[in-house]
Amino acid sequence: MTLTVHHLKRSQSERIIWLCEELNIPYELKVYAREPTLSAPEPYRNIHWSGTAPVIQDGELALAESGAIVEYILSKYGNGKLVIKPDQPNYADYLFWFHHANGSVQPTITTMVFAEFAKISPDDPGQLIMRNRFQIGLSGMDKRLGEFEYLAGNELTGADIMMVFSLTTMRLFLPYSLEEFPNIMAYLDRVGKREAYQRAMKKGDPDLRPVLDGIPQDTFF
Amino acid sequence: MTLTVHHLKRSQSERIIWLCEELNIPYELKVYAREPTLSAPEPYRNIHWSGTAPVIQDGELALAESGAIVEYILSKYGNGKLVIKPDQPNYADYLFWFHHANGSVQPTITTMVFAEFAKISPDDPGQLIMRNRFQIGLSGMDKRLGEFEYLAGNELTGADIMMVFSLTTMRLFLPYSLEEFPNIMAYLDRVGKREAYQRAMKKGDPDLRPVLDGIPQDTFF
């Protein structure tokens, strides 16, 4: 069986390339450019019925959803790496940060992106709720990263694989600043120095300078 | 150690009560009403720094995020129930539907709720993207539930515990119809007949008739 990672450029699928590079496992990488509308091209949308990125194939299996793919690859090919097990003291931390990425941080940013698209006033009450949630989330993350080098503890885990996209490439969609969060900035600096992260970004998005500093970026569309 | 489930009424925390009832494990339940603004009251928001629902306490530990809590309880108290293991043929299905709930379905609905709040036109291009995503997601779920009684296969699992809220109580926030999805409707009927689900809803939201039919509901605010 061959593990194939289908990467839609500038998307959450960069997580899966990074994961494979950290695990140092064999995989075939297929890279797809976004359409001018930012949608995934049709061949990408047809791999899994959901049409979402990321998606992998493993033999007959096509699997979507970042969280599912990361758990699947860690369980099947991870050999115990990058996982915190139930008998370890930081198991609940691992679970929290793993699920917080796509359960809270990413949806909050996405809602704010769609509000920008629709030109909703920044003073709209719903948007104030979202911005407030987002600030609480970043503050909590900054506090955590003042105590530990990575989210689940002092080693990189699947929780970081899930979270980093929202703090980096996602800022091409919503150009927010991280300058008031020095521990998150130091964390991104550590991530950016990892050879596996550098290899992943070069393979998946070779024409993109990884968004690792704290400064708001220009959106790319 | 006592497991305490803090339930914010009409919220994702109903999942955790349901999980505990299915597992038939001891837990202490604390129920909180929403404020008139729909926010969680301050005592709720102070249990975990994120301020989000659900949250549990287990001895010294306070843990937030539905996905993290469900995995934690299943791992620590589940005794192998409601989980599909990596060596089972439907492991990837279990992972997909578990993560699809809060990774795609719930965020899509939330974005649409905030668009309603902000009175964005239904023809707004961003909203068309979201509605399209949502329809694709429901169609895929309906197809799946035409083949199996529950999302991961013919037995209830943690994947259903994650998903059902988005198909039921969440329709008090966004009154969408399920009438074109007969398999999802039959699934909700099966869920509603489970004694553990009935007990959970009676304990957590005794003044709410569970939203188990396909008809759009009036929002409660």
Side-chain angles (χ1 to χ4, degrees):
Chain A
M1 299 229 283
T2 310
L3 178 65
T4 305
V5 177
H6 296 274
H7 175 54
L8 176 66
K9 288 170 93 171
R10 288 142 168 79
S11 89
Q12 300 184 39
S13 52
E14 69 175 46
R15 292 167 172 154
I16 313 305
I17 313 176
W18 181 25
L19 175 64
C20 292
E21 293 292 335
E22 290 285 352
L23 294 174
N24 207 15
I25 57 175
Y27 67 103
E28 186 183 354
L29 178 64
K30 293 193 178 172
V31 178
Y32 303 71
R34 286 176 181 268
E35 292 184 347
T37 59
L38 295 187
S39 290
E42 201 180 334
Y44 195 101
R45 283 183 278 130
N46 288 339
I47 303 165
H48 185 274
W49 62 262
S50 70
T52 54
V55 60
I56 61 165
Q57 285 176 306
D58 192 18
E60 297 296 299
L61 171 72
L63 182 60
E65 287 295 340
S66 293
I69 294 171
V70 172
E71 277 207 56
Y72 176 86
I73 291 178
L74 284 173
S75 159
K76 188 155 178 200
Y77 298 108
N79 211 8
K81 286 186 197 159
L82 306 188
V83 168
I84 304 298
K85 298 230 162 58
D87 59 358
Q88 291 179 262
N90 55 336
Y91 176 59
D93 296 310
Y94 173 70
L95 291 180
F96 173 75
W97 291 105
F98 190 110
H99 288 275
H100 186 59
N102 273 18
S104 287
V105 179
Q106 192 62 25
T108 305
I109 299 177
T110 303
T111 304
M112 293 193 290
V113 169
F114 277 87
E116 288 270 320
F117 271 18
K119 301 193 189 346
I120 294 179
S121 156
D123 299 330
D124 173 77
Q127 289 312 302
L128 293 176
I129 290 171
M130 281 309 197
R131 274 218 302 286
N132 184 44
R133 272 192 204 171
F134 190 51
Q135 284 297 110
I136 290 171
L138 290 176
S139 298
M141 204 185 312
D142 194 64
K143 185 163 178 287
R144 176 79 186 167
L145 291 168
E147 294 162 1
F148 298 95
E149 294 204 7
Y150 291 94
L151 288 167
N154 285 325
E155 303 292 333
L156 183 98
T157 69
D160 304 291
I161 301 284
M162 288 296 291
M163 188 67 81
V164 164
F165 169 82
S166 307
L167 302 168
T168 55
T169 308
M170 192 65 198
R171 282 194 284 142
L172 299 174
F173 295 82
L174 187 81
Y176 68 87
S177 169
L178 286 169
E179 290 166 293
E180 61 176 298
F181 302 110
N183 299 315
I184 297 180
M185 287 175 62
Y187 168 70
L188 293 184
D189 192 59
R190 279 192 291 281
V191 166
K193 287 184 171 133
R194 297 183 73 91
E195 288 181 14
Y197 183 82
Q198 292 173 3
R199 283 197 306 272
M201 295 304 288
K202 260 184 205 138
K203 287 181 183 178
D205 286 83
D207 47 351
L208 173 70
R209 190 172 58 85
V211 183
L212 291 162
D213 55 20
I215 303 162
Q217 303 286 315
D218 282 338
T219 51
F220 67 87
F221 42 83
Chain B
M1 298 228 283
T2 311
L3 178 65
T4 305
V5 176
H6 296 275
H7 175 54
L8 177 66
K9 288 172 91 170
R10 288 142 168 78
S11 89
Q12 301 184 39
S13 52
E14 69 176 47
R15 292 167 171 155
I16 313 304
I17 312 176
W18 183 24
L19 174 65
C20 292
E21 292 293 335
E22 291 283 353
L23 294 175
N24 207 14
I25 56 175
Y27 67 102
E28 186 183 354
L29 178 64
K30 294 195 176 169
V31 177
Y32 302 71
R34 287 176 181 268
E35 292 185 346
T37 59
L38 296 186
S39 290
E42 200 179 335
Y44 196 100
R45 285 183 276 127
N46 288 339
I47 302 165
H48 186 273
W49 62 262
S50 69
T52 55
V55 61
I56 60 165
Q57 286 176 304
D58 192 19
E60 297 294 302
L61 171 73
L63 183 60
E65 288 294 340
S66 292
I69 294 169
V70 172
E71 278 207 54
Y72 176 87
I73 291 177
L74 284 173
S75 159
K76 185 153 180 199
Y77 298 108
N79 211 8
K81 286 186 200 158
L82 305 189
V83 167
I84 305 298
K85 297 232 162 59
D87 59 356
Q88 291 180 261
N90 55 337
Y91 176 59
D93 295 311
Y94 173 70
L95 291 180
F96 174 76
W97 292 105
F98 189 110
H99 287 276
H100 187 59
N102 272 17
S104 288
V105 179
Q106 193 60 25
T108 304
I109 299 176
T110 303
T111 304
M112 293 192 292
V113 169
F114 277 87
E116 287 271 319
F117 270 18
K119 301 190 189 349
I120 294 179
S121 158
D123 300 329
D124 174 77
Q127 288 312 301
L128 292 176
I129 290 172
M130 281 311 199
R131 275 218 302 287
N132 185 46
R133 271 191 205 172
F134 189 52
Q135 283 297 109
I136 291 171
L138 290 176
S139 297
M141 204 185 312
D142 195 64
K143 185 164 179 286
R144 175 79 186 167
L145 292 167
E147 296 162 0
F148 298 94
E149 294 203 9
Y150 290 94
L151 288 169
N154 285 325
E155 302 292 334
L156 183 97
T157 68
D160 304 291
I161 301 284
M162 287 296 291
M163 187 68 80
V164 163
F165 169 83
S166 307
L167 302 169
T168 55
T169 307
M170 193 64 198
R171 282 193 285 143
L172 299 175
F173 295 83
L174 187 81
Y176 68 87
S177 169
L178 286 170
E179 289 167 292
E180 60 176 300
F181 303 110
N183 300 314
I184 297 178
M185 287 175 62
Y187 167 71
L188 293 184
D189 193 59
R190 280 192 291 282
V191 166
K193 287 184 171 132
R194 296 184 72 90
E195 288 181 14
Y197 183 82
Q198 292 172 4
R199 284 198 305 273
M201 294 305 288
K202 259 185 207 138
K203 288 182 183 179
D205 287 82
D207 46 351
L208 172 70
R209 189 172 59 84
V211 183
L212 289 161
D213 55 20
I215 303 162
Q217 304 284 316
D218 283 338
T219 51
F220 67 87
F221 42 84

